[in-house]
Amino acid sequence: MLVSVKCLTYNHAPYIRECLDGILMQKTDFRFEVIVHDDASTDGTIEILKEYEECHPDVIRVIYEEENQFALGVNMEKVDALTRGKYWAVCEGDDYWIDPLKLQKQVEVMEAHPDCMLVCNRTLLYSLKNHSIVGENYCYCESRFVSTKDIIYKGGLFISTCSILFRPEVKRDYPDYCRHCEAGDYSVQLMSAMKGRVYYMNEPMSVYRIDNPLSWVGKLTWNKERYKERIILERSRVNMLKGFAQDYPRHAHLFKNKIANHINRFAPGKEMPAYIRKAYQEEFAPEIRQFSIPWRIDHFVGTTRLPLLWRIRKWYYPHFRLNIKRY
């Protein structure tokens, strides 16, 4: 069993067939398995999974939860424990693959480069709002190894989760700051860069659905009723970055810059109530006090939202935006 494909799903009835079909169409000269984890879906996803499990018993195994594990704060290590592959691929239930040779191509890269810990590819962006492909997510304009600086600075969305294949060694001796981080895909990317190299294939082989309010990305929007959950989410990501800065001092300056950028970038805007902005400031006060002068200035300008200062900010503000090409 060379590859284990991990598929996490919850209420993905409209999409799960396309996801599983994209996996099952893979043409490889090796065996692969599909481990599906259903987190107590209530929309008919379970019935579809049972149908596929019955038709493909040698390939698909499904874990059915009776209670939603995400709501309980339980991590998904049980899925990792069931995998048997030399490599792990990921495709969540609302995403899908479009190239039947995706796994074959990525495994060939890994086999040719023993120091490569993760390989990813160009990804199309499908908008649920527009019902069409609206852009692409890519690292570079050519296939190449990804720089560690780019992986740290550009964040988890720099590499699409549905595109990755990595070695299980990435999660060996996984530290708590990675295990408890809400952005699990970002921690895998960072650990891959710390333990080896990351390779990017400039071929569109997967599709990522955007504009989905139920997705993890949809939870990044500030909400007056659930702002405490958002602060907890941001704290877990900052703690992860601090852990990497401590354990990998060679890249500590990059992680410290990323921490400052992250806190400033995701601060609630002036349109949010004062009590939310105050709660955020109090949560990250220890980190803000350690900011260098440029980052303190940036924090002040970003939180005041004055038009003149905002224009000045654009002049010196580090550029960390996701590299998206719009059609």
Side-chain angles (χ1 to χ4, degrees):
M1 191 66 66
L2 200 62
V3 175
S4 295
V5 183
K6 300 191 296 181
C7 177
L8 304 182
T9 183
Y10 172 70
N11 284 353
H12 288 152
Y15 321 120
I16 191 63
R17 289 185 184 276
E18 198 165 19
C19 172
L20 294 177
D21 288 343
I23 298 172
L24 293 172
M25 75 173 180
Q26 293 299 301
K27 298 178 181 179
T28 64
D29 57 13
F30 52 81
R31 290 180 60 206
F32 66 89
E33 63 179 355
V34 185
I35 311 297
V36 183
H37 180 272
D38 180 82
D39 205 4
S41 294
T42 59
D43 68 340
T45 300
I46 293 176
E47 288 70 24
I48 297 174
L49 292 177
K50 288 181 178 179
E51 173 190 331
Y52 273 78
E53 191 177 25
E54 182 178 347
C55 294
H56 306 276
D58 296 333
V59 180
I60 297 178
R61 288 185 290 163
V62 184
I63 305 170
Y64 300 98
E65 298 288 357
E66 296 183 358
E67 190 172 4
N68 188 273
Q69 300 298 294
F70 182 83
L72 297 174
V74 178
N75 61 47
M76 295 296 103
E77 290 184 348
K78 62 174 69 177
V79 181
D80 295 347
L82 290 175
T83 55
R84 297 173 291 174
K86 178 181 178 181
Y87 305 110
W88 294 353
V90 180
C91 188
E92 297 185 347
D94 55 346
D95 302 323
Y96 59 101
W97 297 344
I98 54 176
D99 188 339
L101 297 177
K102 175 186 183 296
L103 289 182
Q104 183 69 40
K105 294 175 182 177
Q106 292 185 327
V107 166
E108 288 175 359
V109 170
M110 298 291 265
E111 295 284 282
H113 303 280
D115 62 336
C116 183
M117 303 303 291
L118 182 147
V119 60
C120 58
N121 58 259
R122 196 180 189 104
T123 300
L124 303 181
L125 304 177
Y126 182 90
S127 171
L128 292 176
K129 185 185 300 182
N130 298 328
H131 304 289
S132 63
I133 301 295
V134 296
E136 295 181 274
N137 182 22
Y138 59 93
C139 298
Y140 308 108
C141 294
E142 72 281 339
S143 298
R144 51 165 284 190
F145 283 100
V146 184
S147 77
T148 299
K149 181 178 179 180
D150 283 343
I151 293 176
I152 296 173
Y153 277 179
K154 295 187 178 182
L157 295 179
F158 176 56
I159 295 174
S160 298
T161 303
C162 59
S163 76
I164 67 172
L165 180 139
F166 63 99
R167 299 180 190 270
E169 296 92 303
V170 170
K171 301 190 77 172
R172 185 175 297 160
D173 302 322
Y174 220 40
D176 287 340
Y177 56 77
C178 286
R179 191 174 291 108
H180 298 151
C181 179
E182 293 281 355
D185 52 351
Y186 188 24
S187 60
V188 167
Q189 296 169 25
L190 289 173
M191 191 60 76
S192 298
M194 297 301 103
K195 292 187 174 182
R197 294 196 292 172
V198 173
Y199 190 80
Y200 166 70
M201 303 181 70
N202 193 39
E203 300 178 48
M205 297 190 283
S206 53
V207 177
Y208 174 61
R209 297 184 196 270
I210 62 174
D211 300 327
N212 182 1
L214 298 178
S215 69
W216 185 88
V217 175
K219 298 174 184 177
L220 297 182
T221 304
W222 280 103
N223 186 296
K224 295 180 181 179
E225 288 74 33
R226 304 179 62 181
Y227 74 94
K228 292 183 179 179
E229 295 180 21
R230 173 64 187 273
I231 292 177
I232 292 174
L233 183 150
E234 301 302 348
R235 167 50 69 187
S236 74
R237 297 168 78 183
V238 169
N239 285 348
M240 177 194 67
L241 293 168
K242 292 171 68 175
F244 274 108
Q246 180 177 345
D247 289 351
Y248 299 91
R250 185 162 65 95
H251 302 293
H253 64 293
L254 298 177
F255 284 112
K256 289 178 181 178
N257 273 330
K258 179 60 179 178
I259 290 169
N261 168 255
H262 184 88
I263 292 174
N264 290 357
R265 178 185 176 190
F266 289 98
K270 191 177 181 181
E271 69 280 359
M272 298 303 296
Y275 66 88
I276 294 180
R277 287 183 278 124
K278 181 180 178 181
Y280 187 87
Q281 293 287 333
E282 291 177 349
E283 175 65 34
F284 294 106
E287 287 82 10
I288 294 172
R289 283 195 292 267
Q290 295 179 11
F291 281 1
S292 62
I293 292 178
W295 282 115
R296 288 193 183 190
I297 296 174
D298 178 73
H299 182 75
F300 171 76
V301 174
T303 53
T304 55
R305 307 286 178 174
L306 296 177
L308 177 60
L309 292 178
W310 190 255
R311 284 197 293 269
I312 296 174
R313 187 186 194 223
K314 286 186 176 181
W315 173 71
Y316 71 82
Y317 189 61
H319 184 71
F320 297 133
R321 289 190 303 171
L322 179 66
N323 183 17
I324 292 181
K325 176 182 177 182
R326 292 289 176 180
Y327 285 127

